[in-house]
Structure formats: structure tokens, C-alpha cells
């Protein structure tokens, strides 16, 4: 595949992520910050997001597994996850966190457990999508081109 | 010499908002946020607006950087050479909130004039009002964007040159 075909695939894939609600316009803020002086910015921030999110999801699993749930802790972790997903435009995860927070405020354990399950699903889905996007980007670079900036 | 510069500021045509009036020295921002993702993002936004950036992960680290921890007695000699032109901080942080950090900065002799901007993902009008009433220069709702950072230039420039009047438009 030549560079322009790869670039087209990248654009199509990214457009689909926006259309399907995985990403929102905030992700454009990240794309705009990537340039020759900062060529891996998006991948770096998103990788930090992966590490941070998985840490938070593990913590949440642990806290909700306790006999007596510390909802303040749950709220704090969900707040962090909501914040980081919102700042980079990972829309579905952010929206799940909003629902999660509501159950937290009610100290609703069952609701929280359901949300945790859904947040994990959404998170791993978008992680997979973003890793595919980065793989396409790497293919473009390997073919001698660069991803078209939105 | 400073009074001459301020006087000349009245005679020189007003600069447009957004232009870099300080080509000789980069403006330095201290950005405080407990989220590693958000810290990286805001650092990039600030650097993209030509600021030099130092980040801190919480209020205590920020105060340590500024040399405002430990000795409660005011000293006549500044023990820390940290020079910041603006502080931007998240509101919700463990240990010390952004509001509490702002108060401590405003109570210090060395940094009380530095504009402090508070950010939050939660739109709580009473919280916003309290922050602005008690010393914050501005309050930004997260997620923060490049346009928010561009808007902050007027706060820094007002601080540096109080005679250059600039209209700060809200979002």
C-alpha cells in the first residue's frame, strides 16, 4: 500500500471513531498539539491514559470488592478517570464515568458494580481502537509519510 | 528605570491581544494537577502558547517549588529563585485543593501578585464565585482547550505591565 492509501485509511478510521462516539472534539485538541517538534505527542498522552486508567480500574475493582465499600474512594477514582478521559476526548468512557459517579453518590453498590463492568468494556474497546490508529500511523511513517493533521 | 518603562507604556500604541510582548524572556507558568494525563496535556497546551512550563502533581509540591513551605516566619531575603508569571491549578486535588493553594500563594509576600488560575471539571457556581472573590484571577471549566490558554495571556500581561489596558473577553 502506498503512503496516500495508508493516509486515507488513517483518516477513514479516525473519522469512524468520531462518528461512532468513541472520540469527541476534545481529541482534536490533542491532534493539533502534534507537530514536527512534538511528533509522538498523541501516542504519548494516550499511553499515559492507558496506564493511568488501568491502575484506576484495578483500584476500583479492589474497593468495590470489599465487605464495606468506601464510596469516597470509589468517587475519587471515578472522578480521576472521568477527568482524564474528558481531557483527551475519550467520550464513551467519560459518559460511563458520569453515570458511575451518580451511583456512587447514592452509595449504590450494585449500580457501581454494573458501571464498573461497563466502563471496563468501553475502555478496552477504545484502547483497541486507538492502538489500531497508532499502528496505522506507524505504517504511514514506515512508508515514508506522516499522518495528515486534522 | 522601571517607572520610565511604565510611562512609555502610555505613549506606545496598545498592542493587540495575543501578540508576544515579551520576546526577551519567556513567560513561566507553574501548572498543578494531580492527574498525569491532564498534566501532560496542559503542559503541551501552555508550551504551544510559548510559555515555559513547570508542573507539580499537588499543592504541596507546588509550594515546595515556590519555597513557601516550612518556615512560617516571613524573611526579608527570598530563599528561592523561582520566578513564575502565572500559576494554573486544578481545584480537586488530594491533600490541598487548588483554592487552598491559591490562598497560600496570595498570603505570601513573594508571590501574592502572581495571577492564579483555577480549573475544574465541575461547574459549581458557588465554588467559582468563591475562588474569584478570594483571589483567583480566572476560573476555567475543564476540559481545557487551546482557546482557554490563549485567553490567559491577558492576565499575565496585565500583571507584567499594569498600564497596558487590555480587554479580556470571557468565553
Amino acid at each position: 500500500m502506498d503512503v496516500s492509501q495508508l493516509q486515507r485509511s488513517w483518516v477513514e478510521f479516525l473519522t469512524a471513531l468520531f462518528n461512532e462516539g468513541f472520540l469527541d472534539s476534545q481529541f482534536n485538541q490533542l491532534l493539533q498539539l502534534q507537530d514536527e517538534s512534538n511528533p509522538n505527542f498523541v501516542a504519548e498522552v494516550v499511553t499515559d491514559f492507558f496506564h493511568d486508567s488501568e491502575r484506576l480500574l484495578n483500584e476500583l475493582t479492589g474497593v468495590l470488592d470489599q465487605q464495606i465499600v468506601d464510596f469516597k474512594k470509589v468517587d475519587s477514582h471515578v472522578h480521576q478517570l472521568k477527568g482524564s478521559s474528558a481531557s483527551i476526548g475519550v467520550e464513551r468512557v467519560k459518559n460511563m464515568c458520569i453515570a458511575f459517579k451518580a451511583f456512587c453518590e447514592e452509595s449504590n453498590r450494585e449500580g457501581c458494580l454494573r458501571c464498573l463492568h461497563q466502563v471496563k468494556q468501553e475502555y478496552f474497546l477504545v484502547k483497541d481502537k486507538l492502538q489500531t490508529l497508532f499502528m496505522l500511523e506507524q505504517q504511514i511513517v514506515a512508508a515514508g509519510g506522516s499522518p495528515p493533521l486534522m | 528605570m522601571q517607572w520610565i518603562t511604565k510611562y512609555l507604556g502610555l505613549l506606545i500604541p496598545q498592542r493587540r491581544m495575543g501578540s508576544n510582548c515579551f520576546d526577551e524572556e519567556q513567560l513561566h507558568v507553574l501548572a498543578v494537577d494531580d492527574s498525569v494525563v491532564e498534566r501532560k496535556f496542559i503542559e503541551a497546551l501552555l508550551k504551544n502558547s510559548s510559555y515555559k512550563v513547570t508542573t507539580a502533581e499537588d499543592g504541596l509540591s507546588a509550594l515546595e517549588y515556590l519555597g513557601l513551605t516550612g518556615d512560617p516566619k516571613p524573611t526579608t531575603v527570598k530563599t528561592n529563585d523561582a520566578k513564575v508569571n502565572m500559576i494554573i491549578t486544578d481545584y480537586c486535588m488530594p491533600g490541598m485543593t487548588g483554592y487552598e493553594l491559591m490562598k497560600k500563594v496570595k498570603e505570601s509576600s513573594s508571590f501574592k501578585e502572581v495571577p492564579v488560575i483555577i480549573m475544574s471539571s465541575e461547574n459549581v457556581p458557588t465554588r467559582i464565585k468563591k475562588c474569584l472573590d478570594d483571589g483567583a484571577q480566572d476560573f476555567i471549566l475543564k476540559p481545557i482547550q487551546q482557546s482557554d490558554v490563549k485567553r490567559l495571556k491577558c492576565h499575565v500581561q496585565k500583571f507584567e505591565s499594569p498600564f497596558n489596558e487590555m480587554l479580556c473577553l470571557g468565553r
Side-chain angles (χ1 to χ4, degrees), chain B residues 4 6 15 23 48 50 54 58 62 68 73 92 101 105 109 129 155 170:
Chain B
I4 293 175
K6 285 182 182 173
R15 296 230 186 200
D23 299 307
N48 199 42
S50 308
T54 299
D58 55 31
L68 295 177
K73 289 196 298 248
C92 281
L101 170 62
V105 167
S109 49
K129 187 177 187 303
H155 294 304

Side-chain angles (χ1 to χ4, degrees), chain B residues 1-157:
Chain B
M1 281 305 275
Q2 264 194 322
W3 69 267
I4 293 175
T5 319
K6 285 182 182 173
Y7 178 67
L8 284 174
L10 291 170
L11 301 175
I12 289 167
Q14 298 306 310
R15 296 230 186 200
R16 290 187 177 279
M17 200 162 95
S19 69
N20 187 2
C21 300
F22 305 99
D23 299 307
E24 326 80 47
E25 205 184 292
Q26 239 186 336
L27 297 175
H28 182 203
V29 181
L30 175 62
V32 193
D33 199 312
D34 60 315
S35 161
V36 63
V37 174
E38 297 186 66
R39 233 173 17 249
K40 197 165 202 143
F41 177 55
I42 194 173
E43 181 182 19
L45 282 179
L46 288 164
K47 281 181 170 166
N48 199 42
S49 273
S50 308
Y51 291 106
K52 179 181 138 189
V53 186
T54 299
T55 58
E57 61 182 8
D58 55 31
L60 193 57
S61 313
L63 291 174
E64 276 169 2
Y65 176 76
L66 296 169
L68 295 177
T69 52
D71 191 353
K73 289 196 298 248
T75 52
T76 47
V77 177
K78 229 168 71 159
T79 51
N80 192 312
D81 286 336
K83 180 177 165 29
V84 296
N85 302 103
M86 182 167 67
I87 296 169
I88 181 163
T89 177
D90 190 21
Y91 181 90
C92 281
M93 293 189 294
M96 187 190 301
T97 64
Y99 172 85
E100 287 160 351
L101 170 62
M102 181 267 295
K103 291 289 282 179
K104 287 213 167 5
V105 167
K106 291 297 165 186
E107 283 159 17
S108 73
S109 49
S110 6
F111 298 101
K112 64 174 182 234
E113 296 300 327
V114 174
V116 180
I117 315 295
I118 299 187
M119 310 177 277
S120 177
S121 56
E122 289 163 333
N123 188 354
V124 181
T126 47
R127 174 190 292 177
I128 297 171
K129 187 177 187 303
K130 191 170 166 65
C131 287
L132 294 172
D133 285 346
D134 293 356
Q137 206 69 32
D138 207 337
F139 195 102
I140 297 176
L141 278 178
K142 286 179 163 184
I144 191 165
Q145 300 179 342
Q146 194 65 67
S147 52
D148 294 310
V149 173
K150 283 200 164 104
R151 199 183 88 219
L152 296 179
K153 269 238 153 77
C154 70
H155 294 304
V156 188
Q157 287 172 342

